Amino acid sequence: MTLHARNFIAGEWVASSDLAPDVNPSNTAEIVGHFPRATKAEAEKAIAAAKAAFPGWSRSTLQERHDVLKRISDEILARKEELGAILSREEGKTLPEGIGEVARAGQIFGFFAGEALRLAGEIIGSVRPGVGVEVTREGIGVVGLITPWNFPAAIPAWKIAPALCYGNTVVLKPADLVPATAHALGEIIARSGLPAGVFNLVMGRGSVVGEALLSSPDVDAISFTGSVGTGRKIAATCVASSPMKKVQLEMGGKNPFVVLDDADVKVAVEAAVNGAFFSTGQRCTASSRLIVTDGIHDAFVAALVERLKGLSVDDAMKAGTHIGPVVDQSQLDQDLNYIKIGKDEGAKLAFGGDLVKREAPGFYLTPALFTGASNDMRIAREEIFGPVAAVVRVKDYDEALAAANDTEFGLSAGIATTSLKYATHFKRNVQAGMVMVNLPTAGVDYHVPFGGRKGSSYGPREQGRYAAEFYTTVKTSYTLA
């Protein structure tokens, strides 16, 4: 069935005459649906609706917010197979990955349903006699959410759920490549019992919808996940706007996975394969730099190549597929360009990097593994966002840590070791927001903070209780008794 999506503005589904096709990357002859390209006027209408709805929603009861979020969570989880299939058809990650991501989205809404009942403040004694002090949190207003294509259910969920939990109103602009998942999520939210205008879904071009969110004085905050270049522009615009907008950015990663001589080779290989190549490597937490010490290098590379030989690259919906297609032609071209760059730089393509044909036409690329890379090569410094990883050989742990930190990014980092000494030192000294020991760099829990350092993140963390730091403002009140 082909979906003809609509935008959801001010409590109503709004059709558009300007529609663009949503192509299945596993079968480019198949159209998943057609999605609207909103006009500036439609985006402004959504913003106005969110502004009008904020006073009422910000003063809604904790029980009302809990009930809405719980209904959303329950429906998502009840329909996770159906929604996971929609996600996998349009994004290209395997069906088990798609279902798993949808389940995570449901869990996120469930978590924040609980958080709505735990919204607390503080009563603090004053330094002055007879004065009482209260510290409370309030919603910040209209929040513009700009989300990427690689996690079309989970990332919108971890922005929408806390925004609603803390009394904000929302205008969601999802990525152009994944409108069907956003539409399905929007339908569930639309029938959750929210007042009109509290949640708005506006699909369209970033140059139109995104620009409207950034330029509107009625938008109080922007949460963005995407590229570093776009994130920098958004931050500059938010600071320069009047009034200034609160801003939260999750951008790129060039995440290191360190393998030490004492590592369990099987554990290290499984973590590297999962982190670097699953979800077609299209994760900001992907471990695209495999930093391996001398003593284990050859055994690790040999075992990793053997493991890669056993992976199936095929239709995302097909049983037994380990790696689905790249999301679209543009991303495929970028991956192929970096594979050429790696060869030109002198790295050895030890496995993969080939275009392959399957039963239906799609953007299929075998996972590419480079060896003989150095940390100053472009393939070891720039985010590729595809199934491409480079092995950097180092002498020892100290050199491995230095290489891991030698990057402009700082999102996720991992280490494979059986040494408590090295694991502890790495956790304390690697310059990353998230650290994994004997686990893939990609793959995080939904109830704890997500975010990085340096060029990877800007502003408060996402997810878990730390989400309150962005989606609320703190008020200090004094009362003379």
Side-chain angles (χ1 to χ4, degrees):
M1 182 179 69
T2 301
L3 172 70
H4 289 268
R6 297 168 295 167
N7 285 316
F8 187 67
I9 300 172
E12 297 181 352
W13 289 102
V14 180
S16 175
S17 58
D18 186 7
L19 299 172
D22 179 12
V23 178
N24 179 354
S26 293
N27 180 1
T28 55
E30 178 183 271
I31 303 299
V32 177
H34 294 85
F35 66 96
R37 286 180 171 163
T39 63
K40 180 181 179 182
E42 288 170 326
E44 289 173 343
K45 182 179 178 182
I47 294 167
K51 182 181 180 182
F54 175 69
W57 182 246
S58 65
R59 290 166 177 77
S60 60
T61 66
L62 304 185
Q63 188 67 50
E64 184 178 357
R65 297 182 203 174
H66 167 274
D67 292 348
V68 164
L69 293 167
K70 185 66 164 58
R71 282 192 289 269
I72 296 170
S73 172
D74 289 346
E75 184 170 351
I76 291 173
L77 292 173
R79 297 173 57 195
K80 64 182 180 181
E81 287 83 7
E82 170 200 348
L83 299 174
I86 292 172
L87 190 159
S88 293
R89 281 180 68 208
E90 71 170 352
E91 197 273 345
K93 62 182 60 175
T94 66
L95 183 57
E97 289 174 325
I99 294 171
E101 182 185 333
V102 168
R104 180 177 170 186
Q107 291 164 338
I108 290 167
F109 276 99
F111 174 84
F112 282 104
E115 284 299 285
L117 299 177
R118 290 188 285 268
L119 187 60
E122 296 177 273
I123 297 177
I124 301 174
S126 174
V127 296
R128 293 171 289 173
V131 175
V133 182
E134 297 173 59
V135 180
T136 55
R137 289 186 177 273
E138 299 178 353
I140 49 181
V142 177
V143 183
L145 307 179
I146 303 174
T147 58
W149 52 261
N150 61 323
F151 282 90
I155 293 180
W158 84 43
K159 295 180 189 293
I160 297 167
L164 298 179
C165 170
Y166 298 119
N168 301 284
T169 55
V170 168
V171 179
L172 171 65
K173 184 248 174 286
D176 289 353
L177 284 173
V178 287
T181 302
H183 192 270
L185 184 60
E187 286 183 321
I188 292 171
I189 296 171
R191 54 175 169 264
S192 66
L194 280 174
V198 172
F199 170 79
N200 302 271
L201 169 65
V202 186
M203 294 174 277
R205 296 183 183 277
S207 59
V208 178
V209 179
E211 180 59 33
L213 291 172
L214 289 173
S215 62
S216 174
D218 293 329
V219 174
D220 300 287
I222 296 286
S223 179
F224 166 82
T225 301
S227 70
V228 175
T230 302
R232 289 183 183 277
K233 293 176 183 177
I234 286 173
T237 302
C238 287
V239 171
S241 65
S242 182
M244 287 192 290
K245 293 175 171 55
K246 196 172 185 180
V247 63
Q248 176 186 62
L249 307 175
E250 288 297 339
M251 297 171 285
K254 195 65 182 175
N255 310 291
F257 182 69
V258 170
V259 181
L260 298 185
D261 287 353
D262 65 1
D264 180 312
V265 173
K266 184 177 179 180
V267 170
V269 167
E270 288 305 310
V273 168
N274 183 309
F277 301 114
F278 282 10
S279 294
T280 324
Q282 296 173 156
R283 300 184 282 195
C284 56
T285 51
S287 41
S288 53
R289 289 189 299 147
L290 307 176
I291 301 170
V292 186
T293 52
D294 275 335
I296 200 173
H297 177 275
D298 293 350
F300 172 77
V301 170
L304 180 55
V305 168
E306 283 303 308
R307 183 71 174 89
L308 292 176
K309 289 178 180 177
L311 297 180
S312 171
V313 178
D314 210 328
D315 191 310
M317 305 295 289
K318 187 176 180 179
T321 295
H322 298 105
I323 299 174
V326 174
V327 69
D328 70 351
Q329 186 65 54
S330 176
Q331 184 61 52
L332 181 61
D333 291 342
Q334 179 168 302
D335 296 344
L336 293 172
N337 184 51
Y338 271 105
I339 291 170
K340 180 180 183 302
I341 289 170
K343 292 177 181 178
D344 292 344
E345 288 180 314
K348 177 186 175 183
L349 185 59
F351 182 85
D354 301 312
L355 292 173
V356 289
K357 293 184 178 180
R358 293 296 180 253
E359 186 176 341
F363 305 115
Y364 296 108
L365 178 68
T366 57
L369 178 69
F370 281 98
T371 57
S374 62
N375 214 46
D376 59 355
M377 290 181 177
R378 288 182 63 189
I379 58 169
R381 302 204 70 81
E382 299 174 9
E383 186 175 41
I384 300 171
F385 221 68
V388 183
V391 176
V392 177
R393 188 169 190 156
V394 294
K395 180 177 66 175
D396 54 21
Y397 170 75
D398 290 336
E399 190 175 326
L401 177 62
N405 287 334
D406 180 20
T407 174
E408 67 179 277
F409 297 105
L411 183 55
S412 183
I415 188 169
T417 181
T418 55
S419 166
L420 179 61
K421 170 188 172 182
Y422 287 132
T424 301
H425 189 273
F426 188 79
K427 286 189 290 184
R428 290 178 178 171
N429 291 279
V430 72
Q431 296 167 4
M434 298 177 290
V435 187
M436 316 295 183
V437 178
N438 296 320
L439 289 166
T441 58
V444 296
D445 292 350
Y446 62 87
H447 68 303
V448 294
F450 179 98
R453 298 167 60 170
K454 298 192 279 190
S456 290
S457 302
Y458 182 82
R461 289 287 190 264
E462 300 201 83
Q463 293 202 133
R465 302 190 74 176
Y466 283 76
E469 299 300 324
F470 177 72
Y471 290 100
T472 64
T473 185
V474 174
K475 177 180 284 184
T476 306
S477 302
Y478 297 85
T479 303
L480 178 63

